[in-house]
Amino acid sequence: MKANGYYNHPRFPLEAGCGLIEEDSIAFTSDSGKTTETPSFPLEIFPKAIRDIIEALEEYENYNVDFTSASFLTVFAAAMGNTWSVRFMTGWVSRPIIYMVLVGSPSCGKTPPLQQAVAPLLKLDGEYDMIYCKEMETYRRWERMSAKQRERHSLPEEMKMPKRKCHVVVDSTVEALIGALRDNPRGVLIYKDEIDSLLSNFNRYNGSDEGYFLSLFSGTPFKYSRKSNNEHIFLANPYCSIIGTTQPGRLGEQFGGKRMMNGFSSRFLKVYPEIDKMPSWNDTAMPDSVLEEWERIIRKVVAATPSTDQEGKATSIELLFSQESKLRIIQWKDEVNNKVYAETDSDAVRALCGKLETYLVRFCLVIQIMHCICGESGMDKIEPGTAELAIRLTEYFRNMESRIAPEIETGILDNRFTELLGNLRDSFTTAEAVREAL
């Protein structure tokens, strides 16, 4: 089976040219019989302030570092939204869109770190809702008034219906998402504790649902028509990140088959650490200042406002690559990514190579802004050190995908066997079974 090439080429040990640090890794064996290693999340990508929070959550709450780090990375990127962008080449401008899924067995500790990471954005949404309710109350009161009553109360002749501001979307329907993107040009984060509730709804009512998320990943402009009320929505710069959790046994169904071939699976970064026991409990309370610092950082990101154009529309703060950092990225592509692409016959691996190039540029932007927000660097360009950290993070996800692939393919095989058995009669010959299997 051609897809087997996906994990028959283990990535460890990586060449020194990748600039990776290999430490604290756990060995595991793939179906090919070759020993590879479980990668460790490169905590050095974070500025000290965020790294301290992640380590405190590990110390006091026994949160898995990989789950916490991936959650913090995605939430920080979502807080950035469309406020910042990065230009790698003339026609390549990228925004920090991230699709992330945390993979682990039930009760292994996926949900708590994700909840803590998203908490500041949900708290902000609660504050926005209080303002929205007051604005709607004023609007409804205005709506019931006659023209004379509005004049008597010094109210305007026309008033627009308030828009619901938010950072987080939990409704998984495309219609609800498009409405949120329209009302929040900065962008939104789809937050699903169990990501299956999002993925299983694809194509259930509308065959194009999956296509929307394939397009949203690129942040390219698109139009959406609501037939129910004849409304047409144009999104010039849609920003939507996704984060959720799943179990290893669901990976084949959620990311295998066609989704592995059409690039849907490779759009999702997957974190699957080696966990063989439930998280333990700690009787020592974590200082309140730890999570207060995370909230302070997120609020500082959200408070940043981009400039506006002549029409009053917000334009992103665009960063460029320094010459040295750009050359380092090109070196990685030539010496590492192109080599992986050339040495495989798996379409899934080749799709992943393409998406990792996209993510590498986005990681450069997120890491640069993280260090800027925490006072460790500037915001005028992508620095060489940032490029090096982004490469380490990119290779972490490549290696994590090598660990994930056998789980996905096991699901694919199970589905194929099920389909084969369903197509066979109660009694059949070997020749008939072979023909049906082919």
Side-chain angles (χ1 to χ4, degrees), residues 301-322:
V301 178
V302 171
T305 54
S307 58
T308 55
D309 58 20
Q310 294 179 346
E311 298 179 357
K313 296 181 179 180
T315 58
S316 65
I317 304 169
E318 186 177 283
L319 275 67
L320 301 175
F321 280 78
S322 69

Side-chain angles (χ1 to χ4, degrees), residues 2 96 121 128 148 210 381 397 431 438:
K2 188 175 183 181
L121 291 182
Y128 299 152
K148 289 185 177 179
E210 189 171 309
K381 61 184 178 182
F397 284 110
L438 290 174

Side-chain angles (χ1 to χ4, degrees), residues 328-337 360 395 398:
R328 180 65 184 98
I329 297 298
I330 294 173
Q331 180 191 21
W332 168 86
K333 175 176 172 58
D334 292 342
E335 297 179 2
V336 180
N337 208 43
L360 174 56
E395 290 300 330
R398 189 201 303 278

Side-chain angles (χ1 to χ4, degrees), residues 8-59:
N8 281 343
H9 302 285
R11 305 286 179 247
F12 287 89
L14 290 163
E15 298 180 1
C18 297
L20 301 186
I21 296 177
E22 299 182 46
E23 57 184 16
D24 300 330
S25 297
I26 304 172
F28 71 94
T29 303
S30 71
D31 288 357
S32 65
K34 296 180 180 180
T35 299
T36 56
E37 296 177 348
T38 303
S40 298
F41 197 100
L43 278 179
E44 62 270 19
I45 72 155
F46 293 110
K48 185 179 183 303
I50 297 179
R51 194 164 62 247
D52 287 347
I53 298 170
I54 295 172
E55 291 174 345
L57 287 169
E58 179 191 25
E59 177 184 355

